[in-house]
Amino acid sequence: MSTTSLVPGLPSPDRSPRLREALLAAAFTADGLLDLLGAPAYAALARSETVPALRATRGDSVLDTLVRLFLLQRPVAYERARAALPIEECLADGWLVRDGDDVRATVDVRPYGGPEAQDWFIVSDLGCAVGGASGASGQGEGVVLGVGGASTTLAGITVRTPVSSALDVGTGSGLQALHAAQHATRVTATDLNPRALHFARLTLALSGAQEADLREGSLFEPVGKDTYDLIVSNPPFVISPGARLTYRDGGMGGDDLCRSLVQQAGDRLNDGGYAQFLANWQHVEGEEWQERLRSWVPRGCDAWIVQREVQDVTQYAELWLRDSGDHHDDPAEYAARYDAWLDEFEARKTKAVGFGWITLRKSGSDHPSIVAEEWPHPVEQPLGESVRAHFARQDYLRTHDDAALLADHFTLTAEVVQEQVGLPGAEDPEHVVLRQNRGMRRATKVDTVGAGFAGVCDGTLSAGRILDAIAQLLHEDPVLLRDRTPQALRLLVEEGFLEPVRS
């Protein structure tokens, strides 16, 4: 049972199935919008630009009406709305309000395509569904955002194996809880903002998903000592002076909120469970960012930390001042707020801010694997299976010494290709590169032995037997080759170029 009540002034979810039926009947879906608007106007919506969509919806179809009403927040004539919706129910339940001969929506409703082509709807505050955070300028501090780049990134990297229990910390409009409801028997969602919990309830109901256990409070406080198989969070990670905006500012000093979230997650995970977060972290003078993040990892957990972007403190301050619309305010006020951000960073000896993903896996190992890397390159979402496979490889490497590694059999991972790089016409390449065309899309240089090994690695022969054959071809001592190769072999396994054959 949820521990929160409905918020006055927001719609009731009680009859949302009837509204959902009407939206689906009119093709008010992600695919339907693309067909109606066309790719350029559809893409413009993600940039908070509505003019192309307004031009594309000048017709009088039911879908035109719904797009203008719920996505573009334009009033429409009562009679047009009645032709598209169960109008009296929508008015009674608070989805719409009457304004003379027109009606207008009280919330944003944005179609969203699920991972298996489900037709979902994300409900958020007016002006905040289109374009994510950039649509929040001028809104109140308790504003609830819709779908943005950060929320879809987290959804894409989350491990989607079936679980008994999942927890969404800081659920916002409920996107992560909605995803979790597809593969978790029980979903709990928390948020400090009661409006957010109400919106999450609306999102789940209008998307036809199971109800979640909604609890009000900060971080893990609402769930006590309960434990889960999966924890996800897209927290208010922005490092700012003060906490003016609940939807983005953590309210703790520096990166303390993200640190607290990560450190406390270990005690809330069941054995083998995953905790996955988006986060910001400080780059502090005289300190390696990797060591700072490693210190956050709780005991008994493996971790994979990926830094996707770094901004110096001026870029970072300007980004979030624009996000809140402060650049439109009085120039003197803008300058004062900018100055306050730089004062905060100077006091904390912060020279830059990193952004990325943190994944924990409760392994219970006395020798945890903690990988902290910088990877600003393009990746292919969804990455949930790549994340799961990363930790499976860590388990394998942790339990196989060099002798066991050489005795095992491997195959080249699917979608790995070999590239030879050198001057045109040269007899031999300068170097050989193995490249992944899926997932993290890594590339690594290999020597002649590595290239030869990868080329014949089909699971038939053990690694040691392959090296013996290569040694014979290269006229090398097979014992010396066996001695020097396991480290390179481990790297190819760790980065996902080679897979051990499971017996």
Side-chain angles (χ1 to χ4, degrees):
M1 293 291 292
S2 299
T3 59
T4 61
S5 57
L6 299 181
V7 175
L10 292 179
S12 166
D14 293 344
R15 288 183 284 191
S16 55
R18 285 265 290 146
L19 175 56
R20 174 176 171 81
E21 289 174 7
L23 298 179
L24 294 178
F28 186 66
T29 63
D31 288 342
L33 285 182
L34 183 59
D35 290 341
L36 174 69
L37 302 179
Y42 189 80
L45 283 178
R47 303 190 300 269
S48 301
E49 297 292 347
T50 59
V51 171
L54 286 168
R55 292 174 61 87
T57 56
R58 289 180 292 191
D60 57 1
S61 73
V62 169
L63 184 54
D64 288 324
T65 299
L66 294 177
V67 172
R68 283 185 162 253
L69 190 62
F70 284 118
L71 199 57
L72 303 176
Q73 292 92 56
R74 293 301 193 273
V76 302
Y78 175 89
E79 293 302 325
R80 284 189 61 179
R82 188 172 66 171
L85 296 164
I87 187 71
E88 296 306 325
E89 290 181 11
C90 289
L91 288 167
D93 290 348
W95 294 93
L96 304 174
V97 292
R98 187 93 183 244
D99 186 9
D101 293 333
D102 295 332
V103 296
R104 52 184 174 81
T106 60
V107 291
D108 275 326
V109 178
R110 180 173 182 169
Y112 179 86
E116 297 179 0
Q118 302 100 323
D119 290 316
W120 292 342
F121 301 97
I122 311 302
V123 187
S124 64
D125 268 312
L126 287 170
C128 297
V130 176
S134 60
S137 299
Q139 300 285 335
E141 65 173 20
V143 65
V144 178
L145 300 184
V147 180
S151 55
T152 55
T153 293
L154 178 59
I157 67 172
T158 300
V159 176
R160 296 297 176 193
T161 53
V163 294
S164 295
S165 57
L167 171 65
D168 177 13
V169 179
T171 189
S173 57
L175 177 62
Q176 309 307 324
L178 178 58
H179 275 280
Q182 311 310 302
H183 63 103
T185 303
R186 175 173 57 89
V187 177
T188 302
T190 71
D191 206 290
L192 185 64
N193 182 2
R195 286 177 61 81
L197 295 172
H198 190 115
F199 276 112
R201 181 185 285 112
L202 294 175
T203 290
L204 291 167
L206 197 56
S207 298
Q210 67 172 339
E211 293 185 8
D213 181 2
L214 303 173
R215 304 188 187 185
E216 183 180 341
S218 178
L219 300 182
F220 295 107
E221 179 272 328
V223 301
K225 296 183 178 180
D226 292 350
T227 57
Y228 301 86
D229 301 314
L230 173 67
I231 299 171
V232 293
S233 183
N234 175 22
F237 52 65
V238 175
I239 300 170
S240 64
R244 287 196 302 135
L245 300 173
T246 304
Y247 73 87
R248 66 164 208 195
D249 299 332
M252 298 184 185
D255 51 19
D256 283 355
L257 182 136
C258 292
R259 176 184 56 79
S260 297
L261 189 62
V262 173
Q263 288 180 336
Q264 294 174 20
D267 291 337
R268 273 75 179 188
L269 276 178
N270 294 326
D271 291 342
Y274 291 89
Q276 300 187 257
F277 313 104
L278 300 186
N280 274 181
W281 45 80
Q282 298 167 204
H283 284 224
V284 178
E285 293 177 12
E287 177 184 75
E288 294 294 330
W289 72 266
Q290 294 94 333
E291 292 306 311
R292 183 179 189 85
L293 272 292
R294 287 190 181 102
S295 72
W296 292 6
V297 178
R299 184 184 300 273
C301 288
D302 295 340
W304 186 17
I305 302 160
V306 181
Q307 181 167 271
R308 295 288 289 158
E309 183 180 0
V310 180
Q311 291 185 317
D312 67 48
V313 292
T314 59
Q315 292 173 313
Y316 189 81
E318 290 162 12
L319 169 67
W320 294 110
L321 287 167
R322 287 195 302 271
D323 169 84
S324 56
D326 288 328
H327 60 306
H328 295 308
D329 294 341
D330 176 70
E333 181 66 21
Y334 172 78
R337 286 182 173 167
Y338 196 155
D339 209 33
W341 283 70
L342 297 186
D343 283 343
E344 177 82 4
F345 288 132
E346 184 177 346
R348 296 182 178 278
K349 298 183 178 180
T350 300
K351 58 183 180 180
V353 177
F355 166 80
W357 321 324
I358 300 175
T359 299
L360 307 177
R361 199 271 307 261
K362 187 74 170 285
S363 66
S365 174
D366 293 330
H367 304 284
S369 164
I370 302 177
V371 176
E373 62 175 323
E374 188 158 10
W375 193 255
H377 312 294
V379 299
E380 184 182 59
Q381 288 274 34
L383 279 169
E385 177 55 26
S386 296
V387 172
R388 187 208 61 76
H390 167 89
F391 288 98
R393 294 192 297 268
Q394 302 307 313
D395 282 344
Y396 172 84
L397 292 171
R398 187 161 42 209
T399 56
H400 286 69
D401 60 16
D402 288 353
L405 207 65
L406 293 175
D408 221 337
H409 297 235
F410 298 88
T411 58
L412 196 64
T413 305
E415 303 294 333
V416 171
V417 297
Q418 177 179 299
E419 299 174 357
Q420 295 185 347
V421 181
L423 293 174
E427 184 175 346
D428 297 312
E430 293 181 15
H431 58 263
V432 177
V433 174
L434 298 180
R435 186 179 302 278
Q436 301 168 353
N437 285 328
R438 305 292 296 273
M440 293 294 287
R441 293 181 172 171
R442 297 186 188 276
T444 187
K445 280 198 286 187
V446 292
D447 60 12
T448 303
V449 173
F453 188 95
V456 298
C457 209
D458 63 0
T460 304
L461 297 175
S462 69
R465 291 281 302 279
I466 293 174
L467 291 177
D468 290 344
I470 292 174
Q472 186 175 3
L473 287 172
L474 298 179
H475 306 291
E476 290 198 30
D477 185 330
V479 175
L480 294 179
L481 188 59
R482 278 176 173 250
D483 284 345
R484 77 168 194 258
T485 302
Q487 183 176 357
L489 181 56
R490 284 184 179 277
L491 182 62
L492 290 175
V493 173
E494 181 176 353
E495 294 193 339
F497 291 95
L498 295 178
E499 293 179 337
V501 176
R502 307 295 180 180
S503 58

